[in-house]
Amino acid sequence: MADDYAFPTGDLMRGKKGLVMGVANHNSIAYGIAAQLAAQGAEMAWTYMGESLERRVRPLAEGLGVKHLIACDVADDASMDSAFAEISKVLGGLDFVVHSIAFANKDELKGSFVDNTTRDGFLTAMNISAYSFVDVARRSAPLMANGGSMICMTYLGAERVIPNYNTMGVAKAALEASTRYIARDLGPKGIRVNAISAGAMRTLSLAGISGGRGMIAQGRAFSAMKEDTSMEGVAGAALWLLSDLGKSTTGEIVHVDAGFHMMGMSADDEAEG
Ligand code: NAD
């Protein structure tokens, strides 16, 4: 199934061991990143959310030669405790971590942010989509005895208002700020920490956002390149940041969105001038 994508093969990750969190299905960004890392020789453990997903995730893991599949709910301390004990046992240490996890209540991913955001919904989005990265970083750092690299996934809704993205945009802003603070703390240990800000892609998470498909269409229409964000582009950026190619880059938010983030006006508007 990784054959759907054109991932370059090589040895950039040979000898490196890491953790990938957030594969739900074949469309998950975490799956694309993991497939690229596997094509470059990485050894991985994956965590997945809840037993109900295992049936779908296990064949994907086996298809990429991933031997360690561990259940982990990032909102549950006991689940995090046992997952990280297992990761330490099966891998012995970590060179890289991919955090590709987010959640917000569907009811809050539509309409008016100010009217629809509840205290519980706000805190849930913050907990699962932002705090969990801090927790993962704290638990992973002691396993990175020789330094390492961590990434998380973010979106432009952290920096600008994207209709319906609402509470998730606020959580992504916290995630991006957390990336910088974690990068500062772990820098002296030789651990780099970055975020990839991907353009809209057709995944389960996007389906939960009201008008999610419109986000893809607008991302394409307003992007400098007039094209969709590709899994190859996102996975390639992840490979750069997680391999030694990313040496000296930390605390960065890397946009991989065909140039959507930097446009101030669409070319069509210009032409109408
Ligand atoms: P996805 O639904 O495939 O992945 C989201 C993952 O989060 C799933 O594997 C889900 O099981 C996991 N998750 C949710 N709650 C969890 C919990 N409590 N504990 C553990 N895992 C939990 O969708 P995706 O689009 O691949 O999302 C991955 C990341 O990329 C997210 O952070 C998302 O916000 C981000 N992102 C997505 C897009 C997009 O357009 N799809 C764009 C930019 C950034």
Side-chain angles (χ1 to χ4, degrees):
M1 277 182 274
D3 316 342
D4 299 354
Y5 304 115
F7 292 125
T9 56
D11 292 318
L12 286 170
M13 299 301 289
R14 184 93 38 214
K16 289 193 191 292
K17 293 189 273 193
L19 171 63
V20 175
M21 310 180 78
V23 178
N25 59 34
H26 177 255
N27 296 323
S28 293
I29 292 173
Y31 176 73
I33 291 173
Q36 171 63 95
L37 298 176
Q40 293 283 340
E43 181 186 346
M44 285 174 273
W46 288 6
T47 63
Y48 63 96
M49 158 82 188
E51 300 304 327
S52 60
L53 275 183
E54 185 179 354
R55 202 168 34 88
R56 217 176 308 151
V57 175
R58 189 165 292 281
L60 296 175
E62 286 169 357
L64 295 178
V66 173
K67 295 191 191 74
H68 313 295
L69 201 52
I70 301 162
C72 178
D73 177 351
V74 295
D76 178 348
D77 285 336
S79 173
M80 286 285 275
D81 289 347
S82 74
F84 273 84
E86 183 72 10
I87 290 156
S88 173
K89 195 170 98 190
V90 297
L91 290 183
L94 287 173
D95 299 296
F96 66 89
V97 171
V98 176
H99 175 289
S100 188
I101 288 172
F103 179 80
N105 296 331
K106 228 175 158 172
D107 298 349
E108 306 200 8
L109 296 173
K110 61 181 177 198
S112 163
F113 169 68
V114 70
D115 289 336
N116 293 350
T117 303
T118 64
R119 186 192 305 272
D120 272 359
F122 187 92
L123 294 177
T124 296
M126 279 288 186
N127 186 19
I128 297 176
S129 315
Y131 175 72
S132 68
F133 187 51
V134 184
D135 200 8
V136 164
R138 184 175 42 248
R139 292 168 185 270
S140 300
L143 300 175
M144 294 183 154
N146 304 315
S149 177
M150 306 181 189
I151 58 167
C152 62
M153 295 302 309
T154 185
Y155 178 62
L156 189 65
E159 301 167 59
R160 290 162 207 259
V161 173
I162 304 284
N164 302 316
Y165 202 63
N166 296 1
T167 191
M168 186 58 88
V170 178
K172 290 298 191 193
L175 179 69
E176 292 184 8
S178 300
T179 298
R180 290 183 284 271
Y181 279 92
I182 299 167
R184 185 262 182 189
D185 284 351
L186 300 185
K189 298 182 184 350
I191 300 171
R192 297 182 291 103
V193 186
N194 294 285
I196 294 177
S197 184
M201 296 170 76
R202 203 172 299 279
T203 66
L204 261 188
S205 286
L206 189 85
I209 303 166
S210 176
R213 282 175 180 240
M215 283 167 67
I216 296 183
Q218 296 233 12
R220 182 171 55 243
F222 289 97
S223 68
M225 300 182 75
K226 301 279 178 227
E227 62 183 36
D228 290 333
T229 296
S230 65
M231 190 67 96
E232 287 86 347
V234 172
L239 175 62
W240 158 52
L241 292 168
L242 296 173
S243 72
D244 294 341
L245 293 177
K247 213 173 153 86
S248 306
T249 299
T250 196
E252 196 64 78
I253 313 296
V254 178
H255 294 87
V256 183
D257 61 2
F260 175 58
H261 68 285
M262 54 86 179
M263 295 296 290
M265 191 182 281
S266 78
D268 296 345
D269 294 342
E270 234 167 33
E272 278 165 21

